[in-house]
PDB file of all heavy atoms in Angstrom:
ATOM      1  N   PHE A 100      25.964  30.744 -23.665  1.00 93.00           N
ATOM      2  CA  PHE A 100      26.715  31.976 -23.392  1.00 93.00           C
ATOM      3  C   PHE A 100      27.825  32.096 -24.444  1.00 93.00           C
ATOM      4  O   PHE A 100      28.561  31.133 -24.689  1.00 93.00           O
ATOM      5  CB  PHE A 100      27.302  31.902 -21.977  1.00 93.00           C
ATOM      6  CG  PHE A 100      28.036  33.142 -21.562  1.00 93.00           C
ATOM      7  CD1 PHE A 100      27.390  34.378 -21.502  1.00 93.00           C
ATOM      8  CD2 PHE A 100      29.386  33.105 -21.232  1.00 93.00           C
ATOM      9  CE1 PHE A 100      28.064  35.533 -21.118  1.00 93.00           C
ATOM     10  CE2 PHE A 100      30.072  34.257 -20.847  1.00 93.00           C
ATOM     11  CZ  PHE A 100      29.398  35.478 -20.793  1.00 93.00           C
ATOM     12  N   ILE A 101      27.915  33.293 -25.078  1.00 93.00           N
ATOM     13  CA  ILE A 101      28.877  33.469 -26.174  1.00 93.00           C
ATOM     14  C   ILE A 101      29.928  34.500 -25.752  1.00 93.00           C
ATOM     15  O   ILE A 101      29.592  35.643 -25.423  1.00 93.00           O
ATOM     16  CB  ILE A 101      28.176  33.967 -27.458  1.00 93.00           C
ATOM     17  CG1 ILE A 101      27.049  32.957 -27.825  1.00 93.00           C
ATOM     18  CG2 ILE A 101      29.162  34.111 -28.610  1.00 93.00           C
ATOM     19  CD1 ILE A 101      26.052  33.510 -28.816  1.00 93.00           C
ATOM     20  N   ILE A 102      31.195  34.073 -25.768  1.00 93.00           N
ATOM     21  CA  ILE A 102      32.313  35.003 -25.491  1.00 93.00           C
ATOM     22  C   ILE A 102      32.793  35.534 -26.852  1.00 93.00           C
ATOM     23  O   ILE A 102      33.196  34.758 -27.719  1.00 93.00           O
ATOM     24  CB  ILE A 102      33.454  34.288 -24.758  1.00 93.00           C
ATOM     25  CG1 ILE A 102      32.929  33.728 -23.405  1.00 93.00           C
ATOM     26  CG2 ILE A 102      34.632  35.224 -24.535  1.00 93.00           C
ATOM     27  CD1 ILE A 102      33.944  32.889 -22.657  1.00 93.00           C
ATOM     28  N   PRO A 103      32.703  36.864 -27.050  1.00 93.00           N
ATOM     29  CA  PRO A 103      32.976  37.407 -28.389  1.00 93.00           C
ATOM     30  C   PRO A 103      34.475  37.449 -28.719  1.00 93.00           C
ATOM     31  O   PRO A 103      35.320  37.322 -27.823  1.00 93.00           O
ATOM     32  CB  PRO A 103      32.401  38.818 -28.289  1.00 93.00           C
ATOM     33  CG  PRO A 103      32.568  39.173 -26.849  1.00 93.00           C
ATOM     34  CD  PRO A 103      32.394  37.909 -26.076  1.00 93.00           C
ATOM     35  N   ARG A 104      34.747  37.596 -29.986  1.00 91.00           N
ATOM     36  CA  ARG A 104      36.140  37.831 -30.406  1.00 91.00           C
ATOM     37  C   ARG A 104      36.583  39.165 -29.797  1.00 91.00           C
ATOM     38  O   ARG A 104      35.785  40.063 -29.617  1.00 91.00           O
ATOM     39  CB  ARG A 104      36.234  37.926 -31.939  1.00 91.00           C
ATOM     40  CG  ARG A 104      36.088  36.588 -32.616  1.00 91.00           C
ATOM     41  CD  ARG A 104      36.453  36.687 -34.103  1.00 91.00           C
ATOM     42  NE  ARG A 104      36.211  35.415 -34.758  1.00 91.00           N
ATOM     43  CZ  ARG A 104      35.038  35.025 -35.245  1.00 91.00           C
ATOM     44  NH1 ARG A 104      34.004  35.844 -35.202  1.00 91.00           N
ATOM     45  NH2 ARG A 104      34.915  33.829 -35.797  1.00 91.00           N
ATOM     46  N   GLY A 105      37.877  39.299 -29.503  1.00 91.00           N
ATOM     47  CA  GLY A 105      38.390  40.550 -28.952  1.00 91.00           C
ATOM     48  C   GLY A 105      38.310  40.594 -27.449  1.00 91.00           C
ATOM     49  O   GLY A 105      38.588  41.625 -26.816  1.00 91.00           O
ATOM     50  N   PHE A 106      37.908  39.474 -26.801  1.00 92.00           N
ATOM     51  CA  PHE A 106      37.768  39.448 -25.344  1.00 92.00           C
ATOM     52  C   PHE A 106      39.116  39.716 -24.675  1.00 92.00           C
ATOM     53  O   PHE A 106      39.249  40.585 -23.807  1.00 92.00           O
ATOM     54  CB  PHE A 106      37.207  38.076 -24.908  1.00 92.00           C
ATOM     55  CG  PHE A 106      37.020  37.942 -23.427  1.00 92.00           C
ATOM     56  CD1 PHE A 106      35.853  38.381 -22.789  1.00 92.00           C
ATOM     57  CD2 PHE A 106      38.024  37.398 -22.624  1.00 92.00           C
ATOM     58  CE1 PHE A 106      35.685  38.259 -21.420  1.00 92.00           C
ATOM     59  CE2 PHE A 106      37.866  37.282 -21.253  1.00 92.00           C
ATOM     60  CZ  PHE A 106      36.692  37.710 -20.658  1.00 92.00           C
ATOM     61  N   GLU A 107      40.131  38.960 -25.110  1.00 91.00           N
ATOM     62  CA  GLU A 107      41.457  39.106 -24.483  1.00 91.00           C
ATOM     63  C   GLU A 107      42.040  40.503 -24.779  1.00 91.00           C
ATOM     64  O   GLU A 107      42.601  41.154 -23.894  1.00 91.00           O
ATOM     65  CB  GLU A 107      42.405  38.016 -25.001  1.00 91.00           C
ATOM     66  CG  GLU A 107      43.744  38.018 -24.263  1.00 91.00           C
ATOM     67  CD  GLU A 107      44.663  36.916 -24.756  1.00 91.00           C
ATOM     68  OE1 GLU A 107      44.925  36.877 -25.989  1.00 91.00           O
ATOM     69  OE2 GLU A 107      45.072  36.092 -23.932  1.00 91.00           O
ATOM     70  N   ALA A 108      41.845  40.974 -26.036  1.00 91.00           N
ATOM     71  CA  ALA A 108      42.388  42.275 -26.418  1.00 91.00           C
ATOM     72  C   ALA A 108      41.795  43.384 -25.550  1.00 91.00           C
ATOM     73  O   ALA A 108      42.512  44.271 -25.063  1.00 91.00           O
ATOM     74  CB  ALA A 108      42.092  42.546 -27.904  1.00 91.00           C
ATOM     75  N   ALA A 109      40.504  43.359 -25.336  1.00 90.00           N
ATOM     76  CA  ALA A 109      39.838  44.379 -24.511  1.00 90.00           C
ATOM     77  C   ALA A 109      40.311  44.291 -23.060  1.00 90.00           C
ATOM     78  O   ALA A 109      40.480  45.311 -22.387  1.00 90.00           O
ATOM     79  CB  ALA A 109      38.327  44.192 -24.582  1.00 90.00           C
ATOM     80  N   GLN A 110      40.517  43.048 -22.587  1.00 88.00           N
ATOM     81  CA  GLN A 110      40.965  42.878 -21.199  1.00 88.00           C
ATOM     82  C   GLN A 110      42.358  43.482 -21.012  1.00 88.00           C
ATOM     83  O   GLN A 110      42.635  44.169 -20.027  1.00 88.00           O
ATOM     84  CB  GLN A 110      40.975  41.380 -20.851  1.00 88.00           C
ATOM     85  CG  GLN A 110      41.118  41.125 -19.363  1.00 88.00           C
ATOM     86  CD  GLN A 110      41.215  39.656 -19.062  1.00 88.00           C
ATOM     87  OE1 GLN A 110      42.065  38.966 -19.638  1.00 88.00           O
ATOM     88  NE2 GLN A 110      40.346  39.164 -18.185  1.00 88.00           N
ATOM     89  N   VAL A 111      43.228  43.210 -21.997  1.00 88.00           N
ATOM     90  CA  VAL A 111      44.596  43.744 -21.934  1.00 88.00           C
ATOM     91  C   VAL A 111      44.545  45.266 -21.962  1.00 88.00           C
ATOM     92  O   VAL A 111      45.252  45.958 -21.208  1.00 88.00           O
ATOM     93  CB  VAL A 111      45.437  43.196 -23.115  1.00 88.00           C
ATOM     94  CG1 VAL A 111      46.750  43.956 -23.261  1.00 88.00           C
ATOM     95  CG2 VAL A 111      45.690  41.703 -22.907  1.00 88.00           C
ATOM     96  N   GLN A 112      43.716  45.777 -22.853  1.00 87.00           N
ATOM     97  CA  GLN A 112      43.581  47.227 -22.995  1.00 87.00           C
ATOM     98  C   GLN A 112      43.145  47.883 -21.680  1.00 87.00           C
ATOM     99  O   GLN A 112      43.641  48.923 -21.283  1.00 87.00           O
ATOM    100  CB  GLN A 112      42.533  47.512 -24.085  1.00 87.00           C
ATOM    101  CG  GLN A 112      42.566  48.935 -24.597  1.00 87.00           C
ATOM    102  CD  GLN A 112      41.554  49.139 -25.743  1.00 87.00           C
ATOM    103  OE1 GLN A 112      41.087  48.168 -26.345  1.00 87.00           O
ATOM    104  NE2 GLN A 112      41.277  50.387 -26.041  1.00 87.00           N
ATOM    105  N   ARG A 113      42.236  47.212 -20.952  1.00 84.00           N
ATOM    106  CA  ARG A 113      41.711  47.779 -19.716  1.00 84.00           C
ATOM    107  C   ARG A 113      42.713  47.634 -18.571  1.00 84.00           C
ATOM    108  O   ARG A 113      43.018  48.603 -17.867  1.00 84.00           O
ATOM    109  CB  ARG A 113      40.380  47.115 -19.344  1.00 84.00           C
ATOM    110  CG  ARG A 113      39.843  47.565 -17.993  1.00 84.00           C
ATOM    111  CD  ARG A 113      38.485  46.975 -17.714  1.00 84.00           C
ATOM    112  NE  ARG A 113      37.445  47.734 -18.380  1.00 84.00           N
ATOM    113  CZ  ARG A 113      36.422  48.330 -17.735  1.00 84.00           C
ATOM    114  NH1 ARG A 113      36.317  48.237 -16.439  1.00 84.00           N
ATOM    115  NH2 ARG A 113      35.499  48.991 -18.403  1.00 84.00           N
ATOM    116  N   LEU A 114      43.248  46.397 -18.408  1.00 80.00           N
ATOM    117  CA  LEU A 114      44.052  46.129 -17.214  1.00 80.00           C
ATOM    118  C   LEU A 114      45.498  46.637 -17.349  1.00 80.00           C
ATOM    119  O   LEU A 114      46.059  47.181 -16.417  1.00 80.00           O
ATOM    120  CB  LEU A 114      44.062  44.630 -16.902  1.00 80.00           C
ATOM    121  CG  LEU A 114      42.715  44.050 -16.433  1.00 80.00           C
ATOM    122  CD1 LEU A 114      42.832  42.557 -16.158  1.00 80.00           C
ATOM    123  CD2 LEU A 114      42.211  44.756 -15.185  1.00 80.00           C
ATOM    124  N   ARG A 115      46.089  46.450 -18.546  1.00 81.00           N
ATOM    125  CA  ARG A 115      47.499  46.814 -18.677  1.00 81.00           C
ATOM    126  C   ARG A 115      47.688  48.255 -19.153  1.00 81.00           C
ATOM    127  O   ARG A 115      48.643  48.923 -18.809  1.00 81.00           O
ATOM    128  CB  ARG A 115      48.198  45.863 -19.656  1.00 81.00           C
ATOM    129  CG  ARG A 115      48.238  44.445 -19.057  1.00 81.00           C
ATOM    130  CD  ARG A 115      49.127  43.539 -19.845  1.00 81.00           C
ATOM    131  NE  ARG A 115      49.004  42.173 -19.347  1.00 81.00           N
ATOM    132  CZ  ARG A 115      49.358  41.125 -20.032  1.00 81.00           C
ATOM    133  NH1 ARG A 115      49.861  41.253 -21.261  1.00 81.00           N
ATOM    134  NH2 ARG A 115      49.234  39.931 -19.506  1.00 81.00           N
ATOM    135  N   GLN A 116      46.748  48.695 -19.968  1.00 80.00           N
ATOM    136  CA  GLN A 116      46.927  50.042 -20.516  1.00 80.00           C
ATOM    137  C   GLN A 116      46.064  51.063 -19.784  1.00 80.00           C
ATOM    138  O   GLN A 116      46.072  52.248 -20.116  1.00 80.00           O
ATOM    139  CB  GLN A 116      46.585  50.030 -22.022  1.00 80.00           C
ATOM    140  CG  GLN A 116      47.511  49.098 -22.793  1.00 80.00           C
ATOM    141  CD  GLN A 116      47.037  48.868 -24.236  1.00 80.00           C
ATOM    142  OE1 GLN A 116      46.117  49.520 -24.701  1.00 80.00           O
ATOM    143  NE2 GLN A 116      47.709  47.957 -24.929  1.00 80.00           N
ATOM    144  N   GLY A 117      45.256  50.586 -18.815  1.00 79.00           N
ATOM    145  CA  GLY A 117      44.455  51.498 -17.986  1.00 79.00           C
ATOM    146  C   GLY A 117      43.342  52.186 -18.735  1.00 79.00           C
ATOM    147  O   GLY A 117      42.864  53.244 -18.320  1.00 79.00           O
ATOM    148  N   ASP A 118      42.946  51.620 -19.853  1.00 80.00           N
ATOM    149  CA  ASP A 118      41.845  52.218 -20.621  1.00 80.00           C
ATOM    150  C   ASP A 118      40.517  51.631 -20.125  1.00 80.00           C
ATOM    151  O   ASP A 118      40.096  50.557 -20.528  1.00 80.00           O
ATOM    152  CB  ASP A 118      42.041  51.911 -22.111  1.00 80.00           C
ATOM    153  CG  ASP A 118      40.914  52.492 -22.959  1.00 80.00           C
ATOM    154  OD1 ASP A 118      40.010  53.180 -22.368  1.00 80.00           O
ATOM    155  OD2 ASP A 118      40.889  52.233 -24.173  1.00 80.00           O
ATOM    156  N   PHE A 119      39.886  52.370 -19.201  1.00 79.00           N
ATOM    157  CA  PHE A 119      38.666  51.834 -18.600  1.00 79.00           C
ATOM    158  C   PHE A 119      37.443  51.971 -19.494  1.00 79.00           C
ATOM    159  O   PHE A 119      36.346  51.577 -19.119  1.00 79.00           O
ATOM    160  CB  PHE A 119      38.424  52.505 -17.241  1.00 79.00           C
ATOM    161  CG  PHE A 119      39.388  51.999 -16.207  1.00 79.00           C
ATOM    162  CD1 PHE A 119      40.561  52.683 -15.924  1.00 79.00           C
ATOM    163  CD2 PHE A 119      39.129  50.801 -15.545  1.00 79.00           C
ATOM    164  CE1 PHE A 119      41.446  52.188 -14.989  1.00 79.00           C
ATOM    165  CE2 PHE A 119      40.022  50.307 -14.611  1.00 79.00           C
ATOM    166  CZ  PHE A 119      41.207  50.991 -14.320  1.00 79.00           C
ATOM    167  N   SER A 120      37.648  52.526 -20.697  1.00 83.00           N
ATOM    168  CA  SER A 120      36.515  52.562 -21.633  1.00 83.00           C
ATOM    169  C   SER A 120      36.444  51.271 -22.464  1.00 83.00           C
ATOM    170  O   SER A 120      35.460  51.022 -23.150  1.00 83.00           O
ATOM    171  CB  SER A 120      36.642  53.761 -22.585  1.00 83.00           C
ATOM    172  OG  SER A 120      37.779  53.586 -23.410  1.00 83.00           O
ATOM    173  N   ALA A 121      37.528  50.470 -22.361  1.00 84.00           N
ATOM    174  CA  ALA A 121      37.539  49.233 -23.152  1.00 84.00           C
ATOM    175  C   ALA A 121      36.524  48.252 -22.578  1.00 84.00           C
ATOM    176  O   ALA A 121      36.452  48.046 -21.374  1.00 84.00           O
ATOM    177  CB  ALA A 121      38.933  48.614 -23.139  1.00 84.00           C
ATOM    178  N   SER A 122      35.711  47.636 -23.464  1.00 87.00           N
ATOM    179  CA  SER A 122      34.723  46.654 -22.999  1.00 87.00           C
ATOM    180  C   SER A 122      34.407  45.659 -24.120  1.00 87.00           C
ATOM    181  O   SER A 122      34.751  45.903 -25.283  1.00 87.00           O
ATOM    182  CB  SER A 122      33.436  47.351 -22.554  1.00 87.00           C
ATOM    183  OG  SER A 122      32.830  47.965 -23.688  1.00 87.00           O
ATOM    184  N   VAL A 123      33.745  44.562 -23.739  1.00 89.00           N
ATOM    185  CA  VAL A 123      33.284  43.581 -24.747  1.00 89.00           C
ATOM    186  C   VAL A 123      31.793  43.366 -24.544  1.00 89.00           C
ATOM    187  O   VAL A 123      31.278  43.476 -23.418  1.00 89.00           O
ATOM    188  CB  VAL A 123      34.023  42.231 -24.618  1.00 89.00           C
ATOM    189  CG1 VAL A 123      35.460  42.344 -25.070  1.00 89.00           C
ATOM    190  CG2 VAL A 123      33.929  41.683 -23.222  1.00 89.00           C
ATOM    191  N   ALA A 124      31.109  43.024 -25.624  1.00 91.00           N
ATOM    192  CA  ALA A 124      29.665  42.744 -25.531  1.00 91.00           C
ATOM    193  C   ALA A 124      29.444  41.242 -25.660  1.00 91.00           C
ATOM    194  O   ALA A 124      29.474  40.690 -26.744  1.00 91.00           O
ATOM    195  CB  ALA A 124      28.917  43.488 -26.633  1.00 91.00           C
ATOM    196  N   ALA A 125      29.271  40.615 -24.514  1.00 91.00           N
ATOM    197  CA  ALA A 125      28.963  39.177 -24.534  1.00 91.00           C
ATOM    198  C   ALA A 125      27.470  38.988 -24.845  1.00 91.00           C
ATOM    199  O   ALA A 125      26.647  39.875 -24.571  1.00 91.00           O
ATOM    200  CB  ALA A 125      29.298  38.541 -23.198  1.00 91.00           C
ATOM    201  N   THR A 126      27.137  37.855 -25.414  1.00 92.00           N
ATOM    202  CA  THR A 126      25.741  37.583 -25.793  1.00 92.00           C
ATOM    203  C   THR A 126      25.293  36.270 -25.144  1.00 92.00           C
ATOM    204  O   THR A 126      26.105  35.362 -24.972  1.00 92.00           O
ATOM    205  CB  THR A 126      25.640  37.419 -27.331  1.00 92.00           C
ATOM    206  OG1 THR A 126      26.280  38.543 -27.941  1.00 92.00           O
ATOM    207  CG2 THR A 126      24.197  37.302 -27.801  1.00 92.00           C
ATOM    208  N   TYR A 127      24.025  36.229 -24.784  1.00 92.00           N
ATOM    209  CA  TYR A 127      23.478  34.907 -24.426  1.00 92.00           C
ATOM    210  C   TYR A 127      22.249  34.630 -25.267  1.00 92.00           C
ATOM    211  O   TYR A 127      21.443  35.505 -25.535  1.00 92.00           O
ATOM    212  CB  TYR A 127      23.190  34.769 -22.918  1.00 92.00           C
ATOM    213  CG  TYR A 127      22.220  35.756 -22.332  1.00 92.00           C
ATOM    214  CD1 TYR A 127      20.840  35.524 -22.407  1.00 92.00           C
ATOM    215  CD2 TYR A 127      22.673  36.915 -21.679  1.00 92.00           C
ATOM    216  CE1 TYR A 127      19.949  36.428 -21.846  1.00 92.00           C
ATOM    217  CE2 TYR A 127      21.777  37.812 -21.122  1.00 92.00           C
ATOM    218  CZ  TYR A 127      20.412  37.568 -21.212  1.00 92.00           C
ATOM    219  OH  TYR A 127      19.521  38.449 -20.672  1.00 92.00           O
ATOM    220  N   VAL A 128      22.175  33.408 -25.719  1.00 92.00           N
ATOM    221  CA  VAL A 128      21.033  32.933 -26.491  1.00 92.00           C
ATOM    222  C   VAL A 128      20.192  32.098 -25.513  1.00 92.00           C
ATOM    223  O   VAL A 128      20.727  31.218 -24.833  1.00 92.00           O
ATOM    224  CB  VAL A 128      21.503  32.058 -27.667  1.00 92.00           C
ATOM    225  CG1 VAL A 128      20.334  31.344 -28.330  1.00 92.00           C
ATOM    226  CG2 VAL A 128      22.273  32.901 -28.676  1.00 92.00           C
ATOM    227  N   TYR A 129      18.910  32.415 -25.414  1.00 91.00           N
ATOM    228  CA  TYR A 129      18.118  31.683 -24.406  1.00 91.00           C
ATOM    229  C   TYR A 129      16.716  31.359 -24.910  1.00 91.00           C
ATOM    230  O   TYR A 129      16.259  31.923 -25.912  1.00 91.00           O
ATOM    231  CB  TYR A 129      18.046  32.490 -23.103  1.00 91.00           C
ATOM    232  CG  TYR A 129      17.066  33.652 -23.127  1.00 91.00           C
ATOM    233  CD1 TYR A 129      15.938  33.643 -22.320  1.00 91.00           C
ATOM    234  CD2 TYR A 129      17.280  34.762 -23.959  1.00 91.00           C
ATOM    235  CE1 TYR A 129      15.032  34.688 -22.330  1.00 91.00           C
ATOM    236  CE2 TYR A 129      16.389  35.806 -23.980  1.00 91.00           C
ATOM    237  CZ  TYR A 129      15.259  35.773 -23.162  1.00 91.00           C
ATOM    238  OH  TYR A 129      14.372  36.799 -23.194  1.00 91.00           O
ATOM    239  N   ASP A 130      16.086  30.438 -24.200  1.00 90.00           N
ATOM    240  CA  ASP A 130      14.719  30.023 -24.533  1.00 90.00           C
ATOM    241  C   ASP A 130      13.786  30.634 -23.494  1.00 90.00           C
ATOM    242  O   ASP A 130      13.722  30.156 -22.352  1.00 90.00           O
ATOM    243  CB  ASP A 130      14.630  28.484 -24.511  1.00 90.00           C
ATOM    244  CG  ASP A 130      13.203  27.985 -24.739  1.00 90.00           C
ATOM    245  OD1 ASP A 130      12.313  28.828 -24.989  1.00 90.00           O
ATOM    246  OD2 ASP A 130      12.991  26.763 -24.662  1.00 90.00           O
ATOM    247  N   PRO A 131      13.042  31.706 -23.830  1.00 87.00           N
ATOM    248  CA  PRO A 131      12.204  32.371 -22.826  1.00 87.00           C
ATOM    249  C   PRO A 131      11.051  31.490 -22.312  1.00 87.00           C
ATOM    250  O   PRO A 131      10.459  31.793 -21.276  1.00 87.00           O
ATOM    251  CB  PRO A 131      11.667  33.604 -23.549  1.00 87.00           C
ATOM    252  CG  PRO A 131      11.997  33.433 -24.973  1.00 87.00           C
ATOM    253  CD  PRO A 131      12.969  32.331 -25.150  1.00 87.00           C
TER     254      PRO A 131
END
Side-chain angles (χ1 to χ4, degrees):
Chain A
F100 183 60
I101 304 164
I102 300 175
R104 286 191 184 85
F106 180 86
E107 187 179 56
Q110 193 184 54
V111 167
Q112 196 177 342
R113 174 175 279 239
L114 292 180
R115 294 191 187 161
Q116 298 170 9
D118 179 3
F119 287 96
S120 65
S122 65
V123 289
T126 309
Y127 59 84
V128 169
Y129 77 114
D130 175 4

